[in-house]
Amino acid sequence: MKPLSLLLAALLFVSCQGDPGPAGPEGPPGPAGSVGQAFEVEADFTESNEYTQFFDIPENIEVLDSDIITVYLLWEVDENAGDVWRVLPASEFFSDGAELQYAFDHTAVDIKLFMTGDVDLNTVGEAYTQNQIFRVAVLPVDYVESNNVDLSDMDAVMQAVDESKVERLQPVQ
């Protein structure tokens, strides 16, 4: 019985071998997947911190010299349309013509968010200085260029990011 089983197995194996034929056409491209990364921070700007907050870029986000970093400020929450984000730098102009600006700079390891302008920052009020939410996105320049990503449109930028992995960070003390 055993030799017969071995013979049948050998015949089955040999019968499955043959000319593989020509390769078929290339299939359609798969879904893009996430190529960028993002995180959120909440900042309080005060006279004591000179209207500046620093945040470390998470260790799990590698920033290359060629990467593009953009920052967005949660400007308002519209009950009908949802979150309204502004790309930095973002300015607010007051009735007297004074300007308040939110801006940033960065290295490969941290982000500096700050307020500036020709307005007395001590007078702008907590609506502008407290609990400000920012989203930081890191994207490869090749992806941005080849997909013509509008960096002023956070929704377009977030198409390259897995939003389920966006975490809220604490400021550096």
Side-chain angles (χ1 to χ4, degrees), residues 90-104:
S91 293
E92 176 73 9
F93 294 94
F94 297 98
S95 59
D96 63 358
E99 177 187 14
L100 163 68
Q101 186 177 76
Y102 298 92
F104 78 101

Side-chain angles (χ1 to χ4, degrees), residues 11-80:
L11 280 172
L12 180 62
F13 179 74
V14 171
S15 67
C16 292
Q17 298 292 317
D19 183 17
E26 185 175 332
S34 60
V35 295
Q37 298 179 73
F39 58 95
E40 287 186 358
V41 296
E42 183 174 334
D44 290 331
F45 299 103
T46 63
E47 186 176 18
S48 65
N49 68 16
E50 297 178 356
Y51 301 97
T52 301
Q53 289 265 263
F54 286 90
F55 295 88
D56 289 333
I57 294 175
E59 290 181 10
N60 64 329
I61 297 179
E62 180 183 10
V63 179
L64 304 176
D65 288 340
S66 61
D67 284 343
I68 295 174
I69 295 181
T70 58
V71 180
Y72 304 86
L73 169 62
L74 180 59
W75 194 253
E76 66 180 296
V77 178
D78 183 303
E79 290 181 23
N80 299 317

Side-chain angles (χ1 to χ4, degrees), residues 33-38 61-70 137-149 151 157 160-161:
S34 60
V35 295
Q37 298 179 73
I61 297 179
E62 180 183 10
V63 179
L64 304 176
D65 288 340
S66 61
D67 284 343
I68 295 174
I69 295 181
T70 58
V138 180
L139 297 174
V141 71
D142 293 343
Y143 174 84
V144 171
E145 290 176 352
S146 64
N147 291 284
N148 294 319
V149 177
L151 295 175
V157 169
V161 175

Side-chain angles (χ1 to χ4, degrees), residues 73-136:
L73 169 62
L74 180 59
W75 194 253
E76 66 180 296
V77 178
D78 183 303
E79 290 181 23
N80 299 317
D83 295 345
V84 177
W85 295 89
R86 287 190 179 178
V87 66
L88 295 191
S91 293
E92 176 73 9
F93 294 94
F94 297 98
S95 59
D96 63 358
E99 177 187 14
L100 163 68
Q101 186 177 76
Y102 298 92
F104 78 101
D105 61 27
H106 68 86
T107 68
V109 297
D110 66 13
I111 297 284
K112 174 181 156 185
L113 300 170
F114 57 95
M115 293 173 62
T116 188
D118 58 5
V119 65
D120 180 355
L121 297 176
N122 289 318
T123 66
V124 297
E126 289 186 1
Y128 294 100
T129 62
Q130 302 300 298
N131 307 312
Q132 301 300 305
I133 306 297
F134 297 88
R135 185 171 285 179
V136 179

